[in-house]
Amino acid sequence: MNSILKHISCFLVISIAAITCNDDDIRDPYQPVALSKINQLNFISGNDSSIFIYDADMILTSGRDNTFTGIREYEWFTMEYADTEHKQLSGAEYNVSDDPVTGHRTERRAAYSRDDCNMLAKVTREEWDSKSFSFSYDDRYRLIQLTLNAPNTVNHYTIAYDDQSNVSSVELYQKAARAEGYFKHEFSEYDSKSNPFHFLVNVFYAPVFSSSDGAVFFDKMSSSLGLLLSKNNPGKVVNYTKNENDWEKGGTSTYSYQYGENNYPVGISGNGLSLAVEYK
């Protein structure tokens, strides 16, 4: 999945629409989603693979990401939970190597902050220095804003959903040094089958957003968010660039799926992607 997540970004909470938990408006804390039982989820594309391993309660315990920052690296991660009974995610330990099996491994750590609703609020990693990721959700626990703040760079994503909890659009405001721009992806033609990436929701997509580059992500985060966050699988993605007050249509990407047991996709192709999915 080397085209899947190259520059993941997360956001500062600036939306009035983002629902927060306070003394006047208290919601029940988010609880992990009930998922079909599997032991392992594998994403495979060419020479790239990401592995996610689950316990008997369908809580992510460990896995492996691949990253591509000039050289190929592999990240083995172990998720850490502060509360064994309630599975309160607190952090992760990463071991990074340039060899998928053997070789010197460099240890790195990620820390996760949670909001009052038990949702992932912020991700930091030791080697990121001034880089930070932050998140905001609606009252249905759906990610609606995400911002990456880094030196001289801000990527702010606003995510909208349709009535089926599929992503309808992702708008990106991007500022780098003195340049800035607005971009949008619109998603449509969803199928009625389960999205395999939903197996990651039990840890709020934490392994995706906390990897150096990330697991299971496409070239641009705007397009990958629709594939990652939707209930079903999109068949069409149209991108736009904002010119003053108007959106100018750009390219269109189409995706097709092959389905296996339980109607989960076992193959995803389109936009230069050829991805196999294994459920063990």
Side-chain angles (χ1 to χ4, degrees):
M1 289 194 274
N2 54 337
S3 47
I4 293 184
L5 280 173
K6 265 228 170 131
H7 303 288
I8 291 191
S9 318
C10 307
F11 54 30
L12 294 172
V13 180
I14 64 173
S15 171
I16 297 177
I19 306 298
T20 59
C21 288
N22 53 52
D23 293 338
D24 299 323
D25 182 19
I26 297 176
R27 288 185 292 141
D28 292 333
Y30 174 86
Q31 296 297 321
V33 173
L35 298 171
S36 301
K37 296 292 184 181
I38 61 170
N39 297 316
Q40 186 170 314
L41 177 67
N42 298 340
F43 294 96
I44 304 170
S45 178
N47 295 322
D48 193 6
S49 63
S50 297
I51 300 170
F52 301 90
I53 300 172
Y54 296 82
D55 65 13
D57 296 321
M58 284 306 298
I59 300 298
L60 183 67
T61 61
S62 59
R64 190 188 77 196
D65 303 330
N66 291 354
T67 71
F68 298 87
T69 52
I71 61 172
R72 183 189 298 269
E73 287 186 334
Y74 303 86
E75 292 188 327
W76 287 260
F77 62 84
T78 301
M79 309 305 291
E80 298 173 345
Y81 298 91
D83 184 326
T84 303
E85 181 180 356
H86 297 98
K87 307 294 185 181
Q88 299 296 311
L89 180 68
S90 59
E93 180 179 277
Y94 287 79
N95 289 283
V96 183
S97 174
D98 59 2
D99 188 284
V101 180
T102 61
H104 176 70
R105 298 189 181 187
T106 302
E107 291 188 4
R108 299 171 181 168
R109 294 192 58 79
Y112 305 115
S113 300
R114 306 170 78 90
D115 63 19
D116 291 340
C117 293
N118 196 31
M119 298 296 285
L120 183 67
K122 188 175 182 179
V123 176
T124 58
R125 265 181 63 149
E126 292 175 349
E127 74 277 16
W128 279 351
D129 298 324
S130 300
K131 183 179 180 181
S132 67
F133 296 81
S134 51
F135 309 78
S136 184
Y137 308 87
D138 66 10
D139 57 358
R140 296 174 63 183
Y141 307 105
R142 299 179 302 190
L143 182 63
I144 57 172
Q145 289 185 331
L146 123 74
T147 298
L148 161 68
N149 281 282
N152 301 316
T153 302
V154 174
N155 281 9
H156 178 77
Y157 297 88
T158 301
I159 305 153
Y161 296 84
D162 63 20
D163 293 339
Q164 305 301 316
S165 286
N166 291 317
V167 173
S168 58
S169 67
V170 177
E171 293 190 18
L172 165 65
Y173 165 72
Q174 187 174 53
K175 183 176 182 180
R178 297 182 179 180
E180 63 179 340
Y182 293 84
F183 310 91
K184 181 171 67 172
H185 282 71
E186 291 185 345
F187 301 83
S188 61
E189 299 181 9
Y190 281 90
D191 63 16
S192 59
K193 308 298 193 301
S194 297
N195 177 356
F197 300 110
H198 245 51
F199 278 99
L200 303 181
V201 299
N202 279 17
V203 285
F204 320 111
Y205 311 98
V208 174
F209 293 112
S210 58
S211 179
S212 291
D213 285 306
V216 295
F217 68 100
F218 298 89
D219 280 340
K220 296 183 178 180
M221 193 58 185
S222 295
S223 59
S224 65
L225 282 171
L227 294 153
L228 182 65
L229 301 177
S230 295
K231 178 182 178 181
N232 306 120
N233 305 286
K236 182 179 180 181
V237 184
V238 181
N239 58 44
Y240 299 84
T241 302
K242 198 168 189 178
N243 184 4
E244 296 183 347
N245 295 323
D246 298 322
W247 288 105
E248 294 185 353
K249 186 176 179 180
T252 298
S253 301
T254 58
Y255 294 92
S256 60
Y257 303 86
Q258 297 79 48
Y259 306 99
E261 188 176 355
N262 296 323
N263 282 325
Y264 279 108
V266 295
I268 307 173
S269 59
N271 195 29
L273 173 69
S274 179
L275 174 64
V277 187
E278 296 179 336
Y279 312 84
K280 295 186 176 181

